[in-house]
């Protein structure tokens, strides 16, 4: 049968699509591979924990079906942000935000406490949970400083500084129960006793062991000058330590520049975890992100960060990279989406997937992606039941096992 005009048109369209696909996949430098691989013969060769044509996607394996990969299985509580570190003896320690008194996530500004639990495995399940800082304490990010000190960066004042909701059940917040924020900090940019703890300031719990005892200090606060557009808050802190003990902290803030109360990402720097901290004068991103997590990737000698997308990326998991921690580039490829596949074949599209953190083993290799998640359905009250999951990462070279 001779080709018709429609068939010829389809052939042209197909050729154009193939050309576009080839153009998109081609690279001219390692930057085209998001500094997650190397440009070889115009193609990206991914390294570390990355996959995809431009090495922009995390190589995620199937998650354990048991308890839907929950780090702390529970039927009557809600958790959100969580991070895990390993001690010298090999025990894993999880620090997470628990909505106390069986409340749901919508109570976080009143009921969030920081808990500590232990496990023999990085992905849990974790047990022997204990509260180490009472409400309001949120956004815990555990890390060990080069001097050996155990640290938990977080926001809030702890020590019963908020009035909790007491009528919750089953990990959900009752309808009609209102959350209420603490008053804004009247501290200043920098470090010292004059900075007041608040929902909009970053504090640190420090201790000689993963069990404490813990000492609290507030280290970074927003500028109290109402005419200063940035930063209006310093929350969602995530630190990275250089071998000499100096530290950078990415954080979420907001600015009144554009648009009003726009969520942005800022960065603070200090010679040690004790401070003093100096905030870079301008945000590194104005693109509607929050929940940063930062690390250094030795395979490509570059800095990387994950974010929760609030409108500035193509999917829920944003990724950015930097040569020097000063100039950052936001990847056009999302690092991950809402979907999770379990090792029994079950596939779930989560309602919420936020608070990204990576788990690193003692050699410094990332092994799991942690997220605070909300399942597709969350019955009862304000339907705000949440938990934290850990999904295994696959190192490049074994990406045939990735999804």
């Amino acid at each position: 049968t001779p080709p018709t005009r429609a068939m010829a048109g389809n052939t042209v369209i197909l050729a154009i699509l193939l050309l576009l696909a080839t153009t998109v996949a081609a690279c001219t430098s390692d930057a085209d591979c998001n500094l997650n691989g190397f440009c070889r013969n115009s193609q990206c060769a991914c390294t570390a924990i990355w996959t995809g044509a431009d090495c922009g996607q995390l190589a995620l394996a199937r998650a354990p079906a048991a308890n839907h990969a929950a780090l702390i299985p529970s039927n009557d509580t809600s958790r959100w942000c969580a991070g895990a570190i390993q001690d010298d003896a090999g025990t894993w320690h999880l620090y997470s935000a628990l909505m106390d008194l069986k409340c749901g996530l919508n109570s976080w500004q009143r009921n969030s406490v920081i808990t500590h639990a232990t496990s023999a495995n990085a992905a849990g399940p974790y047990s022997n949970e204990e509260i180490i800082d009472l409400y309001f304490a949120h956004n815990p990010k555990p890390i060990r400083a080069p001097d050996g000190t155990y640290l938990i960066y977080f926001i809030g004042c702890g020590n019963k500084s908020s009035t909790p909701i007491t009528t919750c059940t089953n990990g959900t917040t009752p309808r009609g129960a209102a959350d209420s924020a603490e008053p804004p900090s009247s501290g200043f940019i920098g470090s010292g006793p004059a900075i007041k703890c608040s929902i909009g300031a970053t504090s640190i719990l420090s201790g000689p062991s993963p069990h404490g005892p813990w000492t609290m200090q507030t280290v970074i606060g927003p500028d109290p000058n109402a005419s200063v557009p940035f930063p209006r808050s310093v929350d969602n802190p995530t630190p990275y330590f250089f071998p000499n003990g100096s530290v950078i902290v990415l954080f979420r803030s907001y600015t009144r520049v554009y648009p009003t109360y726009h969520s942005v990402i800022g960065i603070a720097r200090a010679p040690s975890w004790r401070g003093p901290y100096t905030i870079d004068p301008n945000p590194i991103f104005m693109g509607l992100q929050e929940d940063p997590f930062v690390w250094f990737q030795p395979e490509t000698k570059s800095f990387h960060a994950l974010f929760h997308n609030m409108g500035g990326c193509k999917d829920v998991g944003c990724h950015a990279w930097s040569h020097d921690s000063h100039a950052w580039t936001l990847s056009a490829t999302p690092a991950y989406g809402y979907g999770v596949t379990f090792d029994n074949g079950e596939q779930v599209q989560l309602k919420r997937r936020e608070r990204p953190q990576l788990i690193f083993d003692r050699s410094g290799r990332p092994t799991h992606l942690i997220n605070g998640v909300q399942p597709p359905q969350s019955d009862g009250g304000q339907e705000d039941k949440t938990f934290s999951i850990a999904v295994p990462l696959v190192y490049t070279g074994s990406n045939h096992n990735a999804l």
Side-chain angles (χ1 to χ4, degrees):
T1 303
T4 64
R5 181 174 298 179
M7 292 173 62
N10 290 338
T11 301
V12 171
I13 293 173
L14 179 59
I16 292 174
L17 291 174
L18 290 173
L19 177 61
L20 288 173
T22 302
T23 303
V24 170
C27 62
T28 59
S29 70
D30 294 346
D32 294 330
C33 307
N34 292 293
L35 294 191
N36 289 326
F38 304 97
C39 185
R40 300 288 185 265
N41 300 318
S42 299
Q43 299 293 315
C44 289
C46 303
T47 187
I49 53 176
W50 301 95
T51 189
D54 65 352
C55 304
Q57 297 172 283
L58 283 174
L60 297 172
R62 294 171 181 260
N67 301 304
H68 279 172
L71 289 163
I72 302 180
S74 176
N75 294 322
D76 62 355
T77 60
S78 280
R79 290 173 176 79
W80 199 226
C81 22
I85 54 177
Q86 192 176 27
D87 66 21
D88 294 334
T91 300
W92 287 93
H93 299 265
L94 182 77
Y95 303 90
S96 60
L98 168 71
M99 307 311 117
D100 198 20
L101 306 178
K102 299 184 178 181
C103 283
L105 180 60
N106 290 349
S107 72
W108 69 274
Q109 292 178 90
R110 294 176 62 180
N111 286 60
S112 180
V113 301
I114 296 177
T115 68
H116 168 231
T118 58
S119 175
N121 302 302
Y126 286 81
S127 59
N128 302 315
E129 188 176 25
E130 59 178 349
I131 294 175
I132 62 173
D133 202 2
L134 289 166
Y135 37 81
F136 162 76
H138 199 60
N139 289 166
K141 172 58 183 74
I143 195 168
R144 197 171 185 186
D147 65 7
T149 306
Y150 287 86
L151 305 172
I152 304 171
Y153 284 71
F154 73 103
I155 64 171
C157 297
N159 197 30
K160 296 185 178 180
S161 56
S162 62
T163 302
I165 300 170
T166 59
T167 55
C168 300
T169 58
N170 196 38
T172 61
T173 309
R175 296 187 184 278
D179 207 352
S180 60
E182 296 180 68
S185 169
S186 58
F188 59 90
I189 297 175
S191 177
I195 301 178
K196 296 181 180 180
C197 64
S198 76
I199 192 172
T202 289
S203 298
I204 297 176
L205 293 173
S206 59
S209 83
H211 299 276
W214 302 103
T215 300
M216 175 185 159
Q217 67 181 99
T218 302
V219 293
I220 321 173
D223 195 311
N225 187 348
S227 65
V228 176
F230 169 82
R232 304 304 305 162
S233 67
V234 182
D235 54 53
N236 298 168
T238 172
Y240 168 77
F241 280 95
F242 295 90
N244 65 0
S246 61
V247 59
I248 59 174
V249 178
L250 270 65
F251 61 89
R252 197 286 300 265
S253 186
Y254 62 92
T255 176
R256 299 186 183 191
V257 176
Y258 167 76
T260 302
Y261 300 116
H262 195 63
S263 180
V264 299
I265 302 297
I267 187 167
R269 306 174 192 274
S272 80
W273 62 267
R274 293 177 175 85
Y277 288 79
T278 302
I279 296 178
D280 287 3
N282 297 305
I284 60 174
F285 287 120
M286 297 281 291
L288 292 173
Q289 294 91 26
E290 66 168 1
D291 302 348
F293 178 85
V294 65
W295 77 102
F296 183 79
Q297 190 164 266
E299 293 88 347
T300 54
K301 298 179 180 179
S302 53
F303 295 89
H304 293 264
L306 298 174
F307 309 91
H308 167 234
N309 175 32
M310 297 177 69
C313 305
K314 294 180 180 178
D315 209 331
V316 67
C318 300
H319 165 244
W321 51 267
S322 172
H323 288 284
D324 58 7
S325 81
H326 290 273
W328 289 81
T329 299
L330 191 65
S331 173
T333 301
Y336 57 88
Y338 286 97
V340 177
T341 300
F342 296 96
D343 55 15
N344 63 356
E346 179 186 4
Q347 296 181 334
V348 174
Q349 285 292 120
L350 297 164
K351 185 176 181 179
R352 297 178 68 173
R353 189 177 192 180
E354 305 175 22
R355 304 293 189 211
Q357 292 197 37
L358 298 182
I359 298 178
F360 294 84
D361 63 19
R362 279 185 289 180
S363 72
R365 285 174 38 140
T367 61
H368 295 78
L369 169 67
I370 291 178
N371 288 106
V373 303
Q374 185 173 16
Q377 292 182 333
S378 180
D379 298 329
Q382 297 184 23
E383 300 179 358
D384 57 345
K385 192 169 187 175
T386 59
F387 59 99
S388 296
I389 65 170
V391 178
L393 294 164
V394 180
Y395 261 72
T396 298
S398 302
N399 276 355
H400 59 276
N401 292 325
L403 298 173

